[in-house]
Amino acid sequence: MTLHITGDAAADTLLTENPLALLVGMLLDQQIAMETAFTGPLKIEQRIGSMDAAAIAAYDPDALASVFKETPAVHRFPGSMAARVQSLCQALVDDWGGDAAALWTEGDPDGATVLKRLKALPGFGEQKAKIFLALLGKQYGFTGEGWREASAPYGEDGSFRSVADITSPESLTKVREFKRAAKAAVKG
């Protein structure tokens, strides 16, 4: 399994190999392009030398905000997103021993359990948690019972709704078209 979300081989490799990087990318995926959000973990790792929950949780908050502001910025809202990433990492340290993958592996959980665990994280509401669960099921090898139902509608087979469906430049284009159409329908 290799993720192809960003179009950047190094960023995609980090997302594939480091569950925390994938979780942080999902956290950053708001009010910026998906590719930018999911390259954020690589920028963080390159700038602080680590993509480890305990290291990020213990990092000086002001220094982390400065890291997020370096050009190119990790996010368009570097201060608030640095704090969110740090809060997420602290929650992982406190509740999961710093192991992001434990959210979907500890105790052989079903889809509904993983969704509940994700929603308990700082910065993960219902929609973000469902999209991440769909990403785990569609591309990251999570096979817990009921994951498609728990992540609905994002777990739907053959859909192009979210980052969970991006496997190539062509699928990225389809996801963007779906999002444009959805926004147009809301404005309708």
Side-chain angles (χ1 to χ4, degrees):
M1 166 211 69
T2 302
L3 297 172
H4 299 282
I5 296 172
T6 68
D8 177 306
D12 284 339
T13 297
L14 181 63
L15 295 171
T16 301
E17 296 175 354
N18 185 319
L20 176 62
L22 189 61
L23 195 64
V24 167
M26 188 73 230
L27 179 68
L28 295 172
D29 188 16
Q30 60 187 57
Q31 299 181 326
I32 59 173
M34 286 178 284
E35 306 93 314
T36 303
F38 282 90
T39 58
L42 181 62
K43 292 174 190 168
I44 296 166
E45 182 184 63
Q46 290 170 336
R47 294 172 187 177
I48 70 169
S50 179
M51 182 43 62
D52 173 78
I56 294 169
Y59 212 81
D60 176 80
D62 293 331
L64 188 61
S66 293
V67 163
F68 271 58
K69 291 176 186 173
E70 288 177 27
T71 304
V74 172
H75 196 277
R76 71 188 275 200
F77 301 112
S80 62
M81 292 312 284
R84 282 190 179 186
V85 168
Q86 198 159 37
S87 293
L88 171 67
C89 289
Q90 189 62 60
L92 290 171
V93 168
D94 293 346
D95 301 334
W96 299 99
D99 181 9
L103 291 162
W104 58 91
T105 59
E106 191 172 291
D108 194 27
D110 62 10
T113 300
V114 174
L115 181 64
K116 182 179 177 185
R117 291 173 177 180
L118 290 167
K119 286 172 34 179
L121 295 172
F124 277 74
E126 179 89 14
Q127 184 176 6
K128 190 176 288 283
K130 284 184 171 194
I131 291 169
F132 192 77
L133 177 56
L135 177 59
L136 292 174
K138 288 181 173 184
Q139 296 193 52
Y140 216 69
F142 177 69
T143 58
E145 185 177 331
W147 73 264
R148 284 192 191 275
E149 296 78 8
S151 64
Y154 303 99
E156 182 180 296
D157 195 25
S159 68
F160 293 96
R161 295 178 181 275
S162 72
V163 68
D165 303 306
I166 299 173
T167 57
S168 66
E170 296 78 23
S171 58
L172 172 61
T173 299
K174 289 180 180 180
V175 168
R176 288 208 190 290
E177 289 170 357
F178 176 85
K179 288 181 175 239
R180 265 190 231 109
K183 283 182 183 177
V186 168
K187 288 182 182 178

